[in-house]
PDB file of all heavy atoms in Angstrom:
ATOM      1  N   VAL A   1       3.320  -5.386 -13.878  1.00  0.00           N
ATOM      2  CA  VAL A   1       3.432  -4.125 -13.138  1.00  0.00           C
ATOM      3  C   VAL A   1       4.285  -4.334 -11.886  1.00  0.00           C
ATOM      4  O   VAL A   1       4.525  -5.472 -11.457  1.00  0.00           O
ATOM      5  CB  VAL A   1       2.043  -3.586 -12.714  1.00  0.00           C
ATOM      6  CG1 VAL A   1       1.199  -3.240 -13.929  1.00  0.00           C
ATOM      7  CG2 VAL A   1       1.317  -4.600 -11.822  1.00  0.00           C
ATOM      8  N   ALA A   2       4.711  -3.225 -11.307  1.00  0.00           N
ATOM      9  CA  ALA A   2       5.409  -3.268 -10.011  1.00  0.00           C
ATOM     10  C   ALA A   2       4.361  -3.242  -8.908  1.00  0.00           C
ATOM     11  O   ALA A   2       3.370  -2.517  -8.990  1.00  0.00           O
ATOM     12  CB  ALA A   2       6.349  -2.077  -9.884  1.00  0.00           C
ATOM     13  N   ARG A   3       4.605  -4.045  -7.880  1.00  0.00           N
ATOM     14  CA  ARG A   3       3.646  -4.128  -6.778  1.00  0.00           C
ATOM     15  C   ARG A   3       4.370  -4.455  -5.482  1.00  0.00           C
ATOM     16  O   ARG A   3       5.426  -5.104  -5.480  1.00  0.00           O
ATOM     17  CB  ARG A   3       2.586  -5.205  -7.057  1.00  0.00           C
ATOM     18  CG  ARG A   3       3.161  -6.589  -7.174  1.00  0.00           C
ATOM     19  CD  ARG A   3       2.092  -7.628  -7.496  1.00  0.00           C
ATOM     20  NE  ARG A   3       1.571  -7.520  -8.843  1.00  0.00           N
ATOM     21  CZ  ARG A   3       2.202  -7.992  -9.932  1.00  0.00           C
ATOM     22  NH1 ARG A   3       3.387  -8.556  -9.816  1.00  0.00           N
ATOM     23  NH2 ARG A   3       1.664  -7.875 -11.118  1.00  0.00           N
ATOM     24  N   PHE A   4       3.794  -3.969  -4.384  1.00  0.00           N
ATOM     25  CA  PHE A   4       4.264  -4.399  -3.071  1.00  0.00           C
ATOM     26  C   PHE A   4       3.821  -5.849  -2.842  1.00  0.00           C
ATOM     27  O   PHE A   4       2.866  -6.334  -3.471  1.00  0.00           O
ATOM     28  CB  PHE A   4       3.666  -3.528  -1.963  1.00  0.00           C
ATOM     29  CG  PHE A   4       4.277  -2.157  -1.845  1.00  0.00           C
ATOM     30  CD1 PHE A   4       3.581  -1.036  -2.278  1.00  0.00           C
ATOM     31  CD2 PHE A   4       5.529  -1.991  -1.273  1.00  0.00           C
ATOM     32  CE1 PHE A   4       4.129   0.234  -2.155  1.00  0.00           C
ATOM     33  CE2 PHE A   4       6.083  -0.729  -1.134  1.00  0.00           C
ATOM     34  CZ  PHE A   4       5.389   0.384  -1.581  1.00  0.00           C
ATOM     35  N   GLU A   5       4.496  -6.529  -1.930  1.00  0.00           N
ATOM     36  CA  GLU A   5       3.990  -7.819  -1.493  1.00  0.00           C
ATOM     37  C   GLU A   5       2.601  -7.617  -0.902  1.00  0.00           C
ATOM     38  O   GLU A   5       2.341  -6.626  -0.221  1.00  0.00           O
ATOM     39  CB  GLU A   5       4.934  -8.408  -0.439  1.00  0.00           C
ATOM     40  CG  GLU A   5       4.556  -9.796   0.020  1.00  0.00           C
ATOM     41  CD  GLU A   5       5.536 -10.353   1.027  1.00  0.00           C
ATOM     42  OE1 GLU A   5       6.564  -9.690   1.293  1.00  0.00           O
ATOM     43  OE2 GLU A   5       5.273 -11.447   1.556  1.00  0.00           O
ATOM     44  N   ALA A   6       1.709  -8.535  -1.195  1.00  0.00           N
ATOM     45  CA  ALA A   6       0.306  -8.367  -0.803  1.00  0.00           C
ATOM     46  C   ALA A   6       0.168  -8.057   0.682  1.00  0.00           C
ATOM     47  O   ALA A   6       0.684  -8.801   1.528  1.00  0.00           O
ATOM     48  CB  ALA A   6      -0.490  -9.622  -1.136  1.00  0.00           C
ATOM     49  N   PRO A   7      -0.518  -6.958   1.041  1.00  0.00           N
ATOM     50  CA  PRO A   7      -0.715  -6.631   2.455  1.00  0.00           C
ATOM     51  C   PRO A   7      -1.641  -7.638   3.115  1.00  0.00           C
ATOM     52  O   PRO A   7      -2.624  -8.078   2.520  1.00  0.00           O
ATOM     53  CB  PRO A   7      -1.350  -5.238   2.400  1.00  0.00           C
ATOM     54  CG  PRO A   7      -2.027  -5.175   1.067  1.00  0.00           C
ATOM     55  CD  PRO A   7      -1.160  -5.979   0.142  1.00  0.00           C
ATOM     56  N   LYS A   8      -1.317  -7.988   4.349  1.00  0.00           N
ATOM     57  CA  LYS A   8      -2.138  -8.960   5.072  1.00  0.00           C
ATOM     58  C   LYS A   8      -3.032  -8.301   6.118  1.00  0.00           C
ATOM     59  O   LYS A   8      -3.996  -8.902   6.574  1.00  0.00           O
ATOM     60  CB  LYS A   8      -1.239 -10.001   5.740  1.00  0.00           C
ATOM     61  CG  LYS A   8      -0.463 -10.872   4.751  1.00  0.00           C
ATOM     62  CD  LYS A   8       0.399 -11.882   5.477  1.00  0.00           C
ATOM     63  CE  LYS A   8       1.070 -12.848   4.498  1.00  0.00           C
ATOM     64  NZ  LYS A   8       1.931 -12.147   3.525  1.00  0.00           N
ATOM     65  N   ARG A   9      -2.709  -7.083   6.507  1.00  0.00           N
ATOM     66  CA  ARG A   9      -3.507  -6.385   7.508  1.00  0.00           C
ATOM     67  C   ARG A   9      -3.470  -4.883   7.225  1.00  0.00           C
ATOM     68  O   ARG A   9      -2.701  -4.400   6.396  1.00  0.00           O
ATOM     69  CB  ARG A   9      -2.999  -6.693   8.913  1.00  0.00           C
ATOM     70  CG  ARG A   9      -1.520  -6.430   9.118  1.00  0.00           C
ATOM     71  CD  ARG A   9      -1.053  -6.907  10.495  1.00  0.00           C
ATOM     72  NE  ARG A   9       0.355  -6.590  10.701  1.00  0.00           N
ATOM     73  CZ  ARG A   9       1.360  -7.347  10.300  1.00  0.00           C
ATOM     74  NH1 ARG A   9       1.108  -8.480   9.659  1.00  0.00           N
ATOM     75  NH2 ARG A   9       2.615  -6.996  10.525  1.00  0.00           N
ATOM     76  N   TRP A  10      -4.302  -4.157   7.930  1.00  0.00           N
ATOM     77  CA  TRP A  10      -4.479  -2.718   7.716  1.00  0.00           C
ATOM     78  C   TRP A  10      -3.175  -1.944   7.875  1.00  0.00           C
ATOM     79  O   TRP A  10      -2.862  -1.068   7.069  1.00  0.00           O
ATOM     80  CB  TRP A  10      -5.538  -2.194   8.674  1.00  0.00           C
ATOM     81  CG  TRP A  10      -5.759  -0.714   8.641  1.00  0.00           C
ATOM     82  CD1 TRP A  10      -5.595   0.159   9.668  1.00  0.00           C
ATOM     83  CD2 TRP A  10      -6.225   0.054   7.530  1.00  0.00           C
ATOM     84  NE1 TRP A  10      -5.918   1.427   9.279  1.00  0.00           N
ATOM     85  CE2 TRP A  10      -6.317   1.398   7.960  1.00  0.00           C
ATOM     86  CE3 TRP A  10      -6.570  -0.246   6.217  1.00  0.00           C
ATOM     87  CZ2 TRP A  10      -6.725   2.436   7.134  1.00  0.00           C
ATOM     88  CZ3 TRP A  10      -6.983   0.785   5.375  1.00  0.00           C
ATOM     89  CH2 TRP A  10      -7.052   2.100   5.833  1.00  0.00           C
ATOM     90  N   GLN A  11      -2.405  -2.276   8.882  1.00  0.00           N
ATOM     91  CA  GLN A  11      -1.165  -1.551   9.116  1.00  0.00           C
ATOM     92  C   GLN A  11      -0.200  -1.716   7.947  1.00  0.00           C
ATOM     93  O   GLN A  11       0.575  -0.799   7.643  1.00  0.00           O
ATOM     94  CB  GLN A  11      -0.500  -2.015  10.413  1.00  0.00           C
ATOM     95  CG  GLN A  11       0.688  -1.157  10.847  1.00  0.00           C
ATOM     96  CD  GLN A  11       0.311   0.311  11.058  1.00  0.00           C
ATOM     97  OE1 GLN A  11      -0.688   0.613  11.710  1.00  0.00           O
ATOM     98  NE2 GLN A  11       1.097   1.225  10.488  1.00  0.00           N
ATOM     99  N   ASP A  12      -0.260  -2.851   7.257  1.00  0.00           N
ATOM    100  CA  ASP A  12       0.587  -3.057   6.080  1.00  0.00           C
ATOM    101  C   ASP A  12       0.287  -2.016   5.007  1.00  0.00           C
ATOM    102  O   ASP A  12       1.193  -1.479   4.370  1.00  0.00           O
ATOM    103  CB  ASP A  12       0.369  -4.461   5.501  1.00  0.00           C
ATOM    104  CG  ASP A  12       0.888  -5.553   6.415  1.00  0.00           C
ATOM    105  OD1 ASP A  12       1.707  -5.242   7.303  1.00  0.00           O
ATOM    106  OD2 ASP A  12       0.469  -6.710   6.239  1.00  0.00           O
ATOM    107  N   VAL A  13      -1.009  -1.745   4.806  1.00  0.00           N
ATOM    108  CA  VAL A  13      -1.411  -0.758   3.798  1.00  0.00           C
ATOM    109  C   VAL A  13      -0.858   0.620   4.160  1.00  0.00           C
ATOM    110  O   VAL A  13      -0.280   1.324   3.316  1.00  0.00           O
ATOM    111  CB  VAL A  13      -2.949  -0.702   3.675  1.00  0.00           C
ATOM    112  CG1 VAL A  13      -3.375   0.401   2.703  1.00  0.00           C
ATOM    113  CG2 VAL A  13      -3.498  -2.048   3.213  1.00  0.00           C
ATOM    114  N   LEU A  14      -1.027   1.009   5.420  1.00  0.00           N
ATOM    115  CA  LEU A  14      -0.525   2.308   5.862  1.00  0.00           C
ATOM    116  C   LEU A  14       0.995   2.390   5.728  1.00  0.00           C
ATOM    117  O   LEU A  14       1.542   3.416   5.296  1.00  0.00           O
ATOM    118  CB  LEU A  14      -0.937   2.566   7.311  1.00  0.00           C
ATOM    119  CG  LEU A  14      -2.444   2.603   7.598  1.00  0.00           C
ATOM    120  CD1 LEU A  14      -2.684   2.800   9.092  1.00  0.00           C
ATOM    121  CD2 LEU A  14      -3.130   3.696   6.806  1.00  0.00           C
ATOM    122  N   ASP A  15       1.672   1.294   6.062  1.00  0.00           N
ATOM    123  CA  ASP A  15       3.132   1.284   5.980  1.00  0.00           C
ATOM    124  C   ASP A  15       3.608   1.410   4.533  1.00  0.00           C
ATOM    125  O   ASP A  15       4.625   2.069   4.257  1.00  0.00           O
ATOM    126  CB  ASP A  15       3.684  -0.008   6.584  1.00  0.00           C
ATOM    127  CG  ASP A  15       3.539  -0.060   8.100  1.00  0.00           C
ATOM    128  OD1 ASP A  15       3.289   1.008   8.701  1.00  0.00           O
ATOM    129  OD2 ASP A  15       3.661  -1.156   8.671  1.00  0.00           O
ATOM    130  N   MET A  16       2.888   0.812   3.602  1.00  0.00           N
ATOM    131  CA  MET A  16       3.272   0.896   2.190  1.00  0.00           C
ATOM    132  C   MET A  16       3.135   2.320   1.658  1.00  0.00           C
ATOM    133  O   MET A  16       3.987   2.813   0.922  1.00  0.00           O
ATOM    134  CB  MET A  16       2.412  -0.071   1.364  1.00  0.00           C
ATOM    135  CG  MET A  16       2.729  -1.527   1.625  1.00  0.00           C
ATOM    136  SD  MET A  16       1.544  -2.638   0.842  1.00  0.00           S
ATOM    137  CE  MET A  16       2.126  -4.230   1.446  1.00  0.00           C
ATOM    138  N   VAL A  17       2.048   2.983   2.039  1.00  0.00           N
ATOM    139  CA  VAL A  17       1.864   4.376   1.619  1.00  0.00           C
ATOM    140  C   VAL A  17       2.955   5.249   2.238  1.00  0.00           C
ATOM    141  O   VAL A  17       3.525   6.123   1.569  1.00  0.00           O
ATOM    142  CB  VAL A  17       0.465   4.894   2.020  1.00  0.00           C
ATOM    143  CG1 VAL A  17       0.314   6.361   1.631  1.00  0.00           C
ATOM    144  CG2 VAL A  17      -0.622   4.059   1.351  1.00  0.00           C
ATOM    145  N   GLN A  18       3.265   5.006   3.502  1.00  0.00           N
ATOM    146  CA  GLN A  18       4.314   5.779   4.159  1.00  0.00           C
ATOM    147  C   GLN A  18       5.665   5.537   3.499  1.00  0.00           C
ATOM    148  O   GLN A  18       6.482   6.455   3.377  1.00  0.00           O
ATOM    149  CB  GLN A  18       4.381   5.410   5.638  1.00  0.00           C
ATOM    150  CG  GLN A  18       5.349   6.267   6.445  1.00  0.00           C
ATOM    151  CD  GLN A  18       4.999   7.747   6.383  1.00  0.00           C
ATOM    152  OE1 GLN A  18       3.858   8.128   6.672  1.00  0.00           O
ATOM    153  NE2 GLN A  18       5.957   8.578   5.991  1.00  0.00           N
ATOM    154  N   TYR A  19       5.910   4.319   3.045  1.00  0.00           N
ATOM    155  CA  TYR A  19       7.167   4.004   2.376  1.00  0.00           C
ATOM    156  C   TYR A  19       7.316   4.844   1.100  1.00  0.00           C
ATOM    157  O   TYR A  19       8.409   5.346   0.800  1.00  0.00           O
ATOM    158  CB  TYR A  19       7.221   2.518   2.035  1.00  0.00           C
ATOM    159  CG  TYR A  19       8.544   2.093   1.431  1.00  0.00           C
ATOM    160  CD1 TYR A  19       9.615   1.732   2.249  1.00  0.00           C
ATOM    161  CD2 TYR A  19       8.727   2.041   0.049  1.00  0.00           C
ATOM    162  CE1 TYR A  19      10.838   1.346   1.702  1.00  0.00           C
ATOM    163  CE2 TYR A  19       9.937   1.665  -0.504  1.00  0.00           C
ATOM    164  CZ  TYR A  19      10.990   1.324   0.330  1.00  0.00           C
ATOM    165  OH  TYR A  19      12.204   0.957  -0.226  1.00  0.00           O
ATOM    166  N   VAL A  20       6.219   4.991   0.360  1.00  0.00           N
ATOM    167  CA  VAL A  20       6.267   5.819  -0.853  1.00  0.00           C
ATOM    168  C   VAL A  20       6.515   7.278  -0.477  1.00  0.00           C
ATOM    169  O   VAL A  20       7.251   7.991  -1.167  1.00  0.00           O
ATOM    170  CB  VAL A  20       4.964   5.666  -1.664  1.00  0.00           C
ATOM    171  CG1 VAL A  20       4.955   6.619  -2.864  1.00  0.00           C
ATOM    172  CG2 VAL A  20       4.791   4.230  -2.132  1.00  0.00           C
ATOM    173  N   ASN A  21       5.918   7.718   0.626  1.00  0.00           N
ATOM    174  CA  ASN A  21       6.184   9.077   1.109  1.00  0.00           C
ATOM    175  C   ASN A  21       7.665   9.276   1.415  1.00  0.00           C
ATOM    176  O   ASN A  21       8.247  10.326   1.129  1.00  0.00           O
ATOM    177  CB  ASN A  21       5.361   9.362   2.373  1.00  0.00           C
ATOM    178  CG  ASN A  21       4.016   9.978   2.073  1.00  0.00           C
ATOM    179  OD1 ASN A  21       3.915  10.903   1.279  1.00  0.00           O
ATOM    180  ND2 ASN A  21       2.973   9.466   2.690  1.00  0.00           N
ATOM    181  N   ASP A  22       8.270   8.259   2.003  1.00  0.00           N
ATOM    182  CA  ASP A  22       9.675   8.358   2.391  1.00  0.00           C
ATOM    183  C   ASP A  22      10.631   8.139   1.218  1.00  0.00           C
ATOM    184  O   ASP A  22      11.800   8.539   1.286  1.00  0.00           O
ATOM    185  CB  ASP A  22       9.982   7.324   3.488  1.00  0.00           C
ATOM    186  CG  ASP A  22       9.223   7.591   4.772  1.00  0.00           C
ATOM    187  OD1 ASP A  22       8.808   8.752   4.982  1.00  0.00           O
ATOM    188  OD2 ASP A  22       9.024   6.631   5.556  1.00  0.00           O
ATOM    189  N   HIS A  23      10.120   7.482   0.149  1.00  0.00           N
ATOM    190  CA  HIS A  23      10.952   7.197  -1.028  1.00  0.00           C
ATOM    191  C   HIS A  23      10.189   7.627  -2.290  1.00  0.00           C
ATOM    192  O   HIS A  23       9.751   6.788  -3.085  1.00  0.00           O
ATOM    193  CB  HIS A  23      11.288   5.706  -1.098  1.00  0.00           C
ATOM    194  CG  HIS A  23      11.973   5.185   0.123  1.00  0.00           C
ATOM    195  ND1 HIS A  23      11.283   4.816   1.268  1.00  0.00           N
ATOM    196  CD2 HIS A  23      13.293   4.982   0.392  1.00  0.00           C
ATOM    197  CE1 HIS A  23      12.157   4.396   2.173  1.00  0.00           C
ATOM    198  NE2 HIS A  23      13.371   4.494   1.681  1.00  0.00           N
ATOM    199  N   PRO A  24      10.014   8.928  -2.497  1.00  0.00           N
ATOM    200  CA  PRO A  24       9.177   9.421  -3.595  1.00  0.00           C
ATOM    201  C   PRO A  24       9.700   9.113  -4.996  1.00  0.00           C
ATOM    202  O   PRO A  24       8.957   9.257  -5.970  1.00  0.00           O
ATOM    203  CB  PRO A  24       9.136  10.939  -3.348  1.00  0.00           C
ATOM    204  CG  PRO A  24      10.344  11.226  -2.542  1.00  0.00           C
ATOM    205  CD  PRO A  24      10.559  10.026  -1.678  1.00  0.00           C
ATOM    206  N   ASP A  25      10.956   8.681  -5.110  1.00  0.00           N
ATOM    207  CA  ASP A  25      11.495   8.353  -6.426  1.00  0.00           C
ATOM    208  C   ASP A  25      11.143   6.938  -6.864  1.00  0.00           C
ATOM    209  O   ASP A  25      11.493   6.522  -7.982  1.00  0.00           O
ATOM    210  CB  ASP A  25      13.027   8.502  -6.420  1.00  0.00           C
ATOM    211  CG  ASP A  25      13.465   9.947  -6.217  1.00  0.00           C
ATOM    212  OD1 ASP A  25      12.686  10.848  -6.588  1.00  0.00           O
ATOM    213  OD2 ASP A  25      14.570  10.166  -5.694  1.00  0.00           O
ATOM    214  N   ILE A  26      10.429   6.191  -6.028  1.00  0.00           N
ATOM    215  CA  ILE A  26      10.146   4.792  -6.322  1.00  0.00           C
ATOM    216  C   ILE A  26       9.101   4.617  -7.424  1.00  0.00           C
ATOM    217  O   ILE A  26       9.047   3.580  -8.100  1.00  0.00           O
ATOM    218  CB  ILE A  26       9.699   4.060  -5.035  1.00  0.00           C
ATOM    219  CG1 ILE A  26       9.815   2.559  -5.206  1.00  0.00           C
ATOM    220  CG2 ILE A  26       8.277   4.447  -4.637  1.00  0.00           C
ATOM    221  CD1 ILE A  26       9.564   1.776  -3.936  1.00  0.00           C
ATOM    222  N   CYS A  27       8.248   5.621  -7.634  1.00  0.00           N
ATOM    223  CA  CYS A  27       7.200   5.522  -8.652  1.00  0.00           C
ATOM    224  C   CYS A  27       6.695   6.916  -9.005  1.00  0.00           C
ATOM    225  O   CYS A  27       7.032   7.899  -8.345  1.00  0.00           O
ATOM    226  CB  CYS A  27       6.034   4.658  -8.171  1.00  0.00           C
ATOM    227  SG  CYS A  27       5.146   5.357  -6.742  1.00  0.00           S
ATOM    228  N   LYS A  28       5.870   6.978 -10.052  1.00  0.00           N
ATOM    229  CA  LYS A  28       5.202   8.229 -10.410  1.00  0.00           C
ATOM    230  C   LYS A  28       3.700   8.152 -10.191  1.00  0.00           C
ATOM    231  O   LYS A  28       3.008   9.171 -10.230  1.00  0.00           O
ATOM    232  CB  LYS A  28       5.501   8.593 -11.871  1.00  0.00           C
ATOM    233  CG  LYS A  28       6.940   8.996 -12.121  1.00  0.00           C
ATOM    234  CD  LYS A  28       7.142   9.531 -13.531  1.00  0.00           C
ATOM    235  CE  LYS A  28       8.575  10.017 -13.725  1.00  0.00           C
ATOM    236  NZ  LYS A  28       8.806  10.534 -15.100  1.00  0.00           N
ATOM    237  N   THR A  29       3.203   6.930  -9.988  1.00  0.00           N
ATOM    238  CA  THR A  29       1.780   6.722  -9.689  1.00  0.00           C
ATOM    239  C   THR A  29       1.670   5.622  -8.640  1.00  0.00           C
ATOM    240  O   THR A  29       2.251   4.539  -8.811  1.00  0.00           O
ATOM    241  CB  THR A  29       0.987   6.298 -10.942  1.00  0.00           C
ATOM    242  OG1 THR A  29       1.144   7.274 -11.975  1.00  0.00           O
ATOM    243  CG2 THR A  29      -0.502   6.160 -10.612  1.00  0.00           C
ATOM    244  N   LEU A  30       0.935   5.893  -7.571  1.00  0.00           N
ATOM    245  CA  LEU A  30       0.648   4.884  -6.555  1.00  0.00           C
ATOM    246  C   LEU A  30      -0.801   4.443  -6.730  1.00  0.00           C
ATOM    247  O   LEU A  30      -1.708   5.282  -6.768  1.00  0.00           O
ATOM    248  CB  LEU A  30       0.870   5.435  -5.150  1.00  0.00           C
ATOM    249  CG  LEU A  30       0.561   4.471  -3.999  1.00  0.00           C
ATOM    250  CD1 LEU A  30       1.467   3.249  -4.058  1.00  0.00           C
ATOM    251  CD2 LEU A  30       0.691   5.187  -2.654  1.00  0.00           C
ATOM    252  N   VAL A  31      -1.022   3.139  -6.840  1.00  0.00           N
ATOM    253  CA  VAL A  31      -2.364   2.606  -7.089  1.00  0.00           C
ATOM    254  C   VAL A  31      -2.804   1.762  -5.901  1.00  0.00           C
ATOM    255  O   VAL A  31      -2.120   0.793  -5.535  1.00  0.00           O
ATOM    256  CB  VAL A  31      -2.401   1.745  -8.372  1.00  0.00           C
ATOM    257  CG1 VAL A  31      -3.838   1.268  -8.641  1.00  0.00           C
ATOM    258  CG2 VAL A  31      -1.855   2.518  -9.560  1.00  0.00           C
ATOM    259  N   LEU A  32      -3.929   2.118  -5.305  1.00  0.00           N
ATOM    260  CA  LEU A  32      -4.545   1.310  -4.253  1.00  0.00           C
ATOM    261  C   LEU A  32      -5.637   0.465  -4.897  1.00  0.00           C
ATOM    262  O   LEU A  32      -6.632   0.979  -5.392  1.00  0.00           O
ATOM    263  CB  LEU A  32      -5.159   2.187  -3.162  1.00  0.00           C
ATOM    264  CG  LEU A  32      -5.946   1.455  -2.070  1.00  0.00           C
ATOM    265  CD1 LEU A  32      -5.044   0.490  -1.303  1.00  0.00           C
ATOM    266  CD2 LEU A  32      -6.614   2.445  -1.119  1.00  0.00           C
ATOM    267  N   ASP A  33      -5.459  -0.839  -4.877  1.00  0.00           N
ATOM    268  CA  ASP A  33      -6.362  -1.756  -5.579  1.00  0.00           C
ATOM    269  C   ASP A  33      -6.771  -2.868  -4.597  1.00  0.00           C
ATOM    270  O   ASP A  33      -6.049  -3.844  -4.431  1.00  0.00           O
ATOM    271  CB  ASP A  33      -5.620  -2.331  -6.787  1.00  0.00           C
ATOM    272  CG  ASP A  33      -6.499  -3.108  -7.745  1.00  0.00           C
ATOM    273  OD1 ASP A  33      -7.691  -3.277  -7.443  1.00  0.00           O
ATOM    274  OD2 ASP A  33      -5.990  -3.553  -8.793  1.00  0.00           O
ATOM    275  N   THR A  34      -7.915  -2.744  -3.904  1.00  0.00           N
ATOM    276  CA  THR A  34      -9.014  -1.801  -4.080  1.00  0.00           C
ATOM    277  C   THR A  34      -9.366  -1.129  -2.754  1.00  0.00           C
ATOM    278  O   THR A  34      -8.988  -1.622  -1.691  1.00  0.00           O
ATOM    279  CB  THR A  34     -10.284  -2.528  -4.567  1.00  0.00           C
ATOM    280  OG1 THR A  34     -10.641  -3.497  -3.574  1.00  0.00           O
ATOM    281  CG2 THR A  34     -10.084  -3.211  -5.898  1.00  0.00           C
ATOM    282  N   ALA A  35     -10.171  -0.050  -2.851  1.00  0.00           N
ATOM    283  CA  ALA A  35     -10.580   0.681  -1.654  1.00  0.00           C
ATOM    284  C   ALA A  35     -11.483  -0.155  -0.764  1.00  0.00           C
ATOM    285  O   ALA A  35     -11.385  -0.108   0.468  1.00  0.00           O
ATOM    286  CB  ALA A  35     -11.299   1.969  -2.054  1.00  0.00           C
ATOM    287  N   ASP A  36     -12.394  -0.946  -1.372  1.00  0.00           N
ATOM    288  CA  ASP A  36     -13.338  -1.704  -0.552  1.00  0.00           C
ATOM    289  C   ASP A  36     -12.643  -2.819   0.232  1.00  0.00           C
ATOM    290  O   ASP A  36     -13.009  -3.110   1.370  1.00  0.00           O
ATOM    291  CB  ASP A  36     -14.492  -2.263  -1.398  1.00  0.00           C
ATOM    292  CG  ASP A  36     -14.115  -2.601  -2.816  1.00  0.00           C
ATOM    293  OD1 ASP A  36     -13.598  -1.728  -3.515  1.00  0.00           O
ATOM    294  OD2 ASP A  36     -14.330  -3.750  -3.228  1.00  0.00           O
ATOM    295  N   TRP A  37     -11.605  -3.423  -0.342  1.00  0.00           N
ATOM    296  CA  TRP A  37     -10.866  -4.430   0.404  1.00  0.00           C
ATOM    297  C   TRP A  37     -10.006  -3.781   1.483  1.00  0.00           C
ATOM    298  O   TRP A  37      -9.821  -4.354   2.559  1.00  0.00           O
ATOM    299  CB  TRP A  37     -10.011  -5.270  -0.552  1.00  0.00           C
ATOM    300  CG  TRP A  37     -10.784  -6.362  -1.215  1.00  0.00           C
ATOM    301  CD1 TRP A  37     -11.911  -6.219  -1.972  1.00  0.00           C
ATOM    302  CD2 TRP A  37     -10.509  -7.763  -1.171  1.00  0.00           C
ATOM    303  NE1 TRP A  37     -12.350  -7.439  -2.421  1.00  0.00           N
ATOM    304  CE2 TRP A  37     -11.506  -8.412  -1.944  1.00  0.00           C
ATOM    305  CE3 TRP A  37      -9.511  -8.530  -0.577  1.00  0.00           C
ATOM    306  CZ2 TRP A  37     -11.539  -9.791  -2.115  1.00  0.00           C
ATOM    307  CZ3 TRP A  37      -9.535  -9.908  -0.753  1.00  0.00           C
ATOM    308  CH2 TRP A  37     -10.535 -10.531  -1.517  1.00  0.00           C
ATOM    309  N   ALA A  38      -9.480  -2.598   1.189  1.00  0.00           N
ATOM    310  CA  ALA A  38      -8.707  -1.886   2.207  1.00  0.00           C
ATOM    311  C   ALA A  38      -9.602  -1.498   3.379  1.00  0.00           C
ATOM    312  O   ALA A  38      -9.203  -1.617   4.550  1.00  0.00           O
ATOM    313  CB  ALA A  38      -8.066  -0.638   1.597  1.00  0.00           C
ATOM    314  N   GLU A  39     -10.815  -1.059   3.094  1.00  0.00           N
ATOM    315  CA  GLU A  39     -11.741  -0.717   4.169  1.00  0.00           C
ATOM    316  C   GLU A  39     -12.067  -1.945   5.017  1.00  0.00           C
ATOM    317  O   GLU A  39     -12.188  -1.855   6.244  1.00  0.00           O
ATOM    318  CB  GLU A  39     -13.031  -0.127   3.599  1.00  0.00           C
ATOM    319  CG  GLU A  39     -14.009   0.309   4.683  1.00  0.00           C
ATOM    320  CD  GLU A  39     -15.371   0.706   4.161  1.00  0.00           C
ATOM    321  OE1 GLU A  39     -15.628   0.508   2.957  1.00  0.00           O
ATOM    322  OE2 GLU A  39     -16.177   1.209   4.960  1.00  0.00           O
ATOM    323  N   LYS A  40     -12.184  -3.090   4.360  1.00  0.00           N
ATOM    324  CA  LYS A  40     -12.443  -4.330   5.097  1.00  0.00           C
ATOM    325  C   LYS A  40     -11.294  -4.618   6.064  1.00  0.00           C
ATOM    326  O   LYS A  40     -11.517  -5.047   7.202  1.00  0.00           O
ATOM    327  CB  LYS A  40     -12.610  -5.476   4.104  1.00  0.00           C
ATOM    328  CG  LYS A  40     -12.883  -6.821   4.743  1.00  0.00           C
ATOM    329  CD  LYS A  40     -12.996  -7.916   3.683  1.00  0.00           C
ATOM    330  CE  LYS A  40     -13.202  -9.280   4.323  1.00  0.00           C
ATOM    331  NZ  LYS A  40     -13.253 -10.367   3.303  1.00  0.00           N
ATOM    332  N   MET A  41     -10.061  -4.379   5.633  1.00  0.00           N
ATOM    333  CA  MET A  41      -8.905  -4.572   6.506  1.00  0.00           C
ATOM    334  C   MET A  41      -8.953  -3.620   7.701  1.00  0.00           C
ATOM    335  O   MET A  41      -8.621  -4.004   8.829  1.00  0.00           O
ATOM    336  CB  MET A  41      -7.611  -4.346   5.717  1.00  0.00           C
ATOM    337  CG  MET A  41      -7.288  -5.426   4.717  1.00  0.00           C
ATOM    338  SD  MET A  41      -5.730  -5.087   3.857  1.00  0.00           S
ATOM    339  CE  MET A  41      -5.553  -6.606   2.912  1.00  0.00           C
ATOM    340  N   ALA A  42      -9.382  -2.375   7.449  1.00  0.00           N
ATOM    341  CA  ALA A  42      -9.495  -1.402   8.545  1.00  0.00           C
ATOM    342  C   ALA A  42     -10.526  -1.860   9.561  1.00  0.00           C
ATOM    343  O   ALA A  42     -10.319  -1.751  10.779  1.00  0.00           O
ATOM    344  CB  ALA A  42      -9.861  -0.032   7.978  1.00  0.00           C
TER     345      ALA A  42
END
């Protein structure tokens, strides 16, 4: 699959989502894997 480089901190996750917002042609489905690990970063 296509994936971003593994985020190391919370801001990385937010920046990746924003990147997809700014470049909507990059994919048709954005997958956050997983919510519980993202919450831990927050």
Side-chain angles (χ1 to χ4, degrees):
V1 296
R3 62 182 70 79
F4 285 106
E5 184 178 355
K8 295 180 174 59
R9 54 186 183 275
W10 176 240
Q11 189 59 47
D12 292 342
V13 176
L14 299 177
D15 289 345
M16 290 171 184
V17 177
Q18 186 59 53
Y19 184 86
V20 175
N21 269 314
D22 295 338
H23 303 82
D25 294 333
I26 198 173
C27 64
K28 291 188 176 179
T29 303
L30 178 62
V31 183
L32 175 62
D33 190 356
T34 60
D36 31 305
W37 278 57
E39 183 189 8
K40 180 182 177 183
M41 289 181 174

